[in-house]
Amino acid sequence: MKCWRWPLVLAVLTVVGLLSALLGEGGPFWLVSWGALSMPLLVIALAVLRSLTSRRS
């Protein structure tokens, strides 16, 4: 279960973000949506940066 923890967290964040964007109307819902949907993108960006820096070493 340990190896599935972070993918599950990202999946839940994505679902929460999508539901917040679709069902919520206005301010706080949009803030939650942007925050939740940006987390997987941030994780991808960090993985790419780590990959690029490990190749140079």
Side-chain angles (χ1 to χ4, degrees):
M1 183 66 181
K2 187 176 181 179
C3 73
W4 289 97
R5 185 177 308 152
W6 289 112
L8 284 174
V9 168
L10 290 175
V12 168
L13 276 173
T14 302
V15 169
V16 166
L18 289 173
L19 288 175
S20 175
L22 290 172
L23 302 176
E25 293 185 18
F29 291 103
W30 290 349
L31 186 64
V32 169
S33 173
W34 274 92
L37 291 175
S38 67
M39 287 301 141
L41 296 175
L42 182 64
V43 169
I44 290 168
L46 289 173
V48 168
L49 285 174
R50 266 192 197 164
S51 172
L52 291 175
T53 57
S54 69
R55 287 184 185 177
R56 291 181 186 167
S57 302

